[in-house]
Amino acid sequence: MRLFGLVGGALTLLLSMGAAQAVGPDWTMLDEDPDYRQARRWIEEKNYQPAIDKLMGLLVRQPNSPELLNWIAFSQRKLKNYPVSKQFYDAALLRDPTYLPALEYQGEWFIETGDMASAKANLEKLAKLCGRCHEWQDLDQAIRAAEAK
């Protein structure tokens, strides 16, 4: 419960800052940060809570980073913290509505929470933004797998 309060407070602060201009890709700067690399390793190892903690620390320094917001949302989703995950996907896409990884992963969130229409809407957005890029392909595959069940 305490974690949700902290997360909610952080999100309230971020959202109160309003929509930023699209900040563009920030992965090159983040890839140089050892804390970010550690968080990504933990995500790859499915060690989500320490990754979230590390990413939240980075978010204090870079509150407009859709990449950080997206990875926090992803990790929260993997822990099945769906309401918290949604807030971070929304924040990432508020900062950059064209951030492809957030559109893909939010689409997977929609699938997991039973909103196939919204997942397909994200697939359409991806198609318009990047054609059949790997984010589109991954979300398309996830939708097909869910519909096959």
Side-chain angles (χ1 to χ4, degrees), residues 47-85:
N47 196 3
Y48 299 113
Q49 191 58 56
I52 291 167
D53 296 340
K54 187 72 74 176
L55 292 165
M56 290 295 289
L58 291 168
L59 193 60
V60 171
R61 292 181 281 169
Q62 295 182 16
N64 290 320
S65 171
E67 185 170 0
L68 293 174
L69 293 162
N70 180 59
W71 282 120
I72 294 167
F74 175 90
S75 298
Q76 291 286 0
R77 176 171 58 91
K78 292 298 186 175
L79 292 174
K80 303 210 182 304
N81 296 328
Y82 292 114
V84 175
S85 178

Coordinates of all heavy atoms in Angstrom, one line a residue, residues 47-85:
N47 N 13.4 -9.6 -12.9 CA 13.6 -9.1 -11.5 C 13.0 -7.7 -11.5 O 13.8 -6.7 -11.4 CB 15.1 -9.2 -11.1 CG 15.3 -9.1 -9.6 OD1 14.3 -9.1 -8.9 ND2 16.5 -9.1 -9.2
Y48 N 11.7 -7.6 -11.5 CA 11.0 -6.4 -11.8 C 11.0 -5.3 -10.7 O 11.2 -4.2 -10.9 CB 9.6 -6.6 -12.3 CG 9.5 -7.4 -13.5 CD1 9.0 -8.7 -13.5 CD2 10.1 -7.0 -14.7 CE1 9.0 -9.5 -14.7 CE2 10.0 -7.7 -15.9 CZ 9.5 -9.0 -15.8 OH 9.5 -9.8 -17.0
Q49 N 10.9 -5.8 -9.4 CA 10.8 -4.8 -8.4 C 12.1 -4.0 -8.2 O 12.0 -2.7 -8.1 CB 10.3 -5.4 -7.0 CG 9.9 -4.4 -6.0 CD 8.8 -3.4 -6.5 OE1 7.8 -3.8 -6.9 NE2 9.1 -2.1 -6.5
P50 N 13.2 -4.6 -8.1 CA 14.4 -3.8 -8.0 C 14.6 -2.9 -9.3 O 15.1 -1.8 -9.1 CB 15.6 -4.8 -8.0 CG 14.9 -6.1 -7.5 CD 13.5 -6.0 -8.0
A51 N 14.2 -3.4 -10.4 CA 14.3 -2.5 -11.6 C 13.4 -1.3 -11.5 O 13.8 -0.2 -11.8 CB 13.9 -3.3 -12.9
I52 N 12.2 -1.5 -11.0 CA 11.3 -0.4 -10.8 C 11.9 0.6 -9.8 O 11.9 1.9 -10.1 CB 9.9 -0.8 -10.2 CG1 9.2 -1.6 -11.3 CG2 9.1 0.3 -9.7 CD1 8.0 -2.4 -10.8
D53 N 12.5 0.1 -8.7 CA 13.1 1.0 -7.7 C 14.2 1.8 -8.4 O 14.3 3.1 -8.2 CB 13.6 0.2 -6.5 CG 12.5 -0.5 -5.8 OD1 11.3 -0.1 -5.9 OD2 12.8 -1.4 -5.0
K54 N 15.0 1.2 -9.1 CA 16.1 1.9 -9.8 C 15.6 2.9 -10.8 O 16.1 4.0 -10.9 CB 17.0 0.9 -10.5 CG 18.3 1.4 -11.1 CD 19.3 1.8 -10.0 CE 20.0 0.6 -9.4 NZ 21.0 1.0 -8.4
L55 N 14.6 2.5 -11.6 CA 14.0 3.4 -12.6 C 13.4 4.6 -12.0 O 13.4 5.7 -12.5 CB 13.1 2.7 -13.5 CG 13.7 1.6 -14.4 CD1 12.6 0.7 -15.0 CD2 14.5 2.3 -15.5
M56 N 12.7 4.4 -10.8 CA 12.1 5.5 -10.1 C 13.1 6.5 -9.7 O 12.9 7.8 -9.8 CB 11.2 5.0 -8.9 CG 10.0 4.2 -9.3 SD 8.8 5.2 -10.2 CE 8.1 6.2 -8.9
G57 N 14.3 6.1 -9.3 CA 15.4 7.0 -8.9 C 15.8 7.8 -10.1 O 16.1 9.0 -10.0
L58 N 15.9 7.1 -11.3 CA 16.3 7.8 -12.5 C 15.3 8.8 -12.9 O 15.6 9.9 -13.5 CB 16.6 6.8 -13.6 CG 17.8 5.9 -13.4 CD1 17.8 4.8 -14.4 CD2 19.1 6.8 -13.6
L59 N 14.0 8.5 -12.7 CA 12.9 9.3 -13.1 C 12.9 10.7 -12.4 O 12.5 11.7 -12.9 CB 11.6 8.6 -12.9 CG 10.3 9.2 -13.5 CD1 10.5 9.2 -15.0 CD2 9.1 8.4 -13.1
V60 N 13.4 10.7 -11.2 CA 13.6 12.0 -10.4 C 14.4 13.0 -11.2 O 14.1 14.1 -11.3 CB 14.1 11.7 -9.0 CG1 14.5 13.0 -8.3 CG2 13.1 10.9 -8.2
R61 N 15.5 12.4 -11.8 CA 16.4 13.3 -12.6 C 15.9 13.6 -14.0 O 16.3 14.6 -14.6 CB 17.8 12.6 -12.7 CG 18.5 12.6 -11.4 CD 19.9 11.9 -11.5 NE 19.7 10.5 -11.6 CZ 20.6 9.6 -11.9 NH1 21.8 10.0 -12.3 NH2 20.3 8.3 -11.9
Q62 N 15.1 12.7 -14.6 CA 14.6 12.8 -15.9 C 13.1 12.6 -16.0 O 12.6 11.6 -16.5 CB 15.3 11.9 -16.9 CG 16.8 12.1 -17.0 CD 17.4 11.1 -18.0 OE1 16.8 10.5 -18.8 NE2 18.7 11.1 -17.9
P63 N 12.3 13.5 -15.4 CA 10.9 13.2 -15.3 C 10.1 13.2 -16.6 O 9.0 12.7 -16.6 CB 10.4 14.3 -14.4 CG 11.4 15.4 -14.5 CD 12.7 14.7 -14.8
N64 N 10.7 13.7 -17.6 CA 10.0 13.7 -18.9 C 10.4 12.6 -19.9 O 10.1 12.6 -21.1 CB 10.2 15.1 -19.6 CG 9.5 16.2 -18.9 OD1 8.4 16.0 -18.5 ND2 10.1 17.3 -18.7
S65 N 11.1 11.6 -19.4 CA 11.6 10.5 -20.2 C 10.5 9.5 -20.5 O 10.2 8.7 -19.6 CB 12.8 9.9 -19.6 OG 13.2 8.7 -20.3
P66 N 10.0 9.5 -21.7 CA 9.0 8.4 -22.0 C 9.6 7.0 -21.9 O 8.9 6.1 -21.6 CB 8.6 8.7 -23.4 CG 9.7 9.6 -24.0 CD 10.3 10.3 -22.9
E67 N 10.9 6.9 -22.1 CA 11.6 5.6 -22.0 C 11.6 5.1 -20.6 O 11.2 3.9 -20.3 CB 13.0 5.7 -22.5 CG 13.7 4.3 -22.6 CD 15.0 4.4 -23.3 OE1 15.5 5.4 -23.7 OE2 15.6 3.3 -23.3
L68 N 11.9 5.9 -19.6 CA 11.9 5.5 -18.2 C 10.4 5.2 -17.8 O 10.2 4.2 -17.1 CB 12.5 6.6 -17.3 CG 13.9 6.9 -17.5 CD1 14.4 8.0 -16.6 CD2 14.8 5.6 -17.1
L69 N 9.5 6.1 -18.1 CA 8.1 5.8 -17.8 C 7.6 4.5 -18.4 O 6.9 3.8 -17.7 CB 7.2 7.0 -18.3 CG 7.5 8.3 -17.6 CD1 6.9 9.5 -18.4 CD2 6.9 8.3 -16.2
N70 N 8.0 4.3 -19.6 CA 7.6 3.0 -20.3 C 8.1 1.8 -19.6 O 7.4 0.8 -19.4 CB 8.0 3.1 -21.8 CG 7.6 1.8 -22.5 OD1 6.4 1.5 -22.6 ND2 8.6 1.1 -23.0
W71 N 9.4 1.8 -19.2 CA 10.0 0.6 -18.5 C 9.4 0.4 -17.2 O 9.2 -0.7 -16.7 CB 11.5 0.7 -18.5 CG 12.1 0.4 -19.8 CD1 12.9 1.2 -20.6 CD2 12.0 -0.9 -20.5 NE1 13.3 0.5 -21.7 CE2 12.7 -0.7 -21.7 CE3 11.3 -2.1 -20.3 CZ2 12.8 -1.8 -22.7 CZ3 11.4 -3.1 -21.2 CH2 12.2 -2.9 -22.4
I72 N 9.0 1.5 -16.5 CA 8.3 1.3 -15.2 C 7.0 0.7 -15.4 O 6.6 -0.2 -14.7 CB 8.2 2.7 -14.5 CG1 9.6 3.2 -14.1 CG2 7.3 2.5 -13.2 CD1 9.7 4.6 -13.6
A73 N 6.2 1.2 -16.4 CA 4.9 0.7 -16.8 C 5.0 -0.8 -17.1 O 4.3 -1.7 -16.7 CB 4.3 1.4 -17.9
F74 N 6.0 -1.2 -18.0 CA 6.2 -2.5 -18.4 C 6.5 -3.4 -17.2 O 5.8 -4.5 -17.0 CB 7.4 -2.6 -19.3 CG 7.8 -4.0 -19.7 CD1 7.3 -4.6 -20.9 CD2 8.8 -4.7 -19.0 CE1 7.7 -5.9 -21.2 CE2 9.2 -6.0 -19.4 CZ 8.6 -6.6 -20.5
S75 N 7.3 -3.0 -16.3 CA 7.7 -3.8 -15.1 C 6.5 -4.0 -14.2 O 6.2 -5.0 -13.6 CB 8.9 -3.2 -14.4 OG 10.0 -3.2 -15.2
Q76 N 5.7 -2.9 -14.0 CA 4.5 -3.0 -13.2 C 3.5 -3.9 -13.8 O 2.9 -4.7 -13.1 CB 3.9 -1.6 -13.0 CG 4.7 -0.6 -12.1 CD 4.7 -0.9 -10.6 OE1 4.0 -1.9 -10.2 NE2 5.4 -0.1 -9.9
R77 N 3.4 -3.9 -15.1 CA 2.5 -4.8 -15.8 C 2.9 -6.2 -15.6 O 2.1 -7.1 -15.4 CB 2.4 -4.5 -17.3 CG 1.5 -5.4 -18.1 CD 1.3 -5.0 -19.5 NE 2.5 -4.8 -20.3 CZ 3.1 -5.7 -21.1 NH1 2.6 -6.9 -21.1 NH2 4.2 -5.4 -21.8
K78 N 4.2 -6.5 -15.7 CA 4.7 -7.9 -15.5 C 4.4 -8.4 -14.1 O 4.2 -9.5 -13.8 CB 6.2 -8.0 -15.8 CG 6.4 -7.8 -17.3 CD 5.8 -8.8 -18.1 CE 6.1 -8.8 -19.6 NZ 5.6 -9.9 -20.4
L79 N 4.3 -7.4 -13.1 CA 4.0 -7.8 -11.7 C 2.5 -7.8 -11.5 O 2.0 -8.0 -10.4 CB 4.6 -6.8 -10.8 CG 6.1 -6.8 -10.7 CD1 6.7 -5.7 -9.8 CD2 6.6 -8.2 -10.2
K80 N 1.7 -7.6 -12.6 CA 0.3 -7.5 -12.6 C -0.3 -6.4 -11.8 O -1.4 -6.5 -11.3 CB -0.3 -8.9 -12.2 CG 0.2 -10.0 -13.1 CD -0.8 -11.1 -13.3 CE -0.3 -12.3 -14.1 NZ 0.2 -12.0 -15.4
N81 N 0.5 -5.3 -11.6 CA 0.0 -4.1 -11.0 C -0.6 -3.2 -12.1 O -0.1 -2.2 -12.5 CB 1.1 -3.4 -10.3 CG 1.7 -4.2 -9.2 OD1 1.0 -4.9 -8.5 ND2 3.0 -4.0 -8.9
Y82 N -1.8 -3.7 -12.6 CA -2.4 -3.1 -13.8 C -2.7 -1.6 -13.6 O -2.4 -0.8 -14.5 CB -3.5 -3.9 -14.3 CG -3.1 -5.2 -14.8 CD1 -3.5 -6.4 -14.2 CD2 -2.3 -5.3 -16.0 CE1 -3.1 -7.6 -14.7 CE2 -1.9 -6.5 -16.5 CZ -2.3 -7.7 -15.8 OH -1.9 -8.9 -16.3
P83 N -3.4 -1.2 -12.5 CA -3.7 0.3 -12.4 C -2.4 1.2 -12.4 O -2.4 2.2 -13.0 CB -4.5 0.4 -11.1 CG -5.0 -1.0 -10.8 CD -4.0 -1.9 -11.4
V84 N -1.4 0.7 -11.7 CA -0.2 1.5 -11.6 C 0.5 1.5 -13.0 O 0.9 2.6 -13.5 CB 0.8 1.0 -10.6 CG1 2.1 1.7 -10.6 CG2 0.1 1.1 -9.2
S85 N 0.5 0.4 -13.7 CA 1.1 0.2 -15.0 C 0.4 1.2 -16.0 O 1.1 1.9 -16.7 CB 1.0 -1.2 -15.5 OG 1.5 -1.3 -16.8

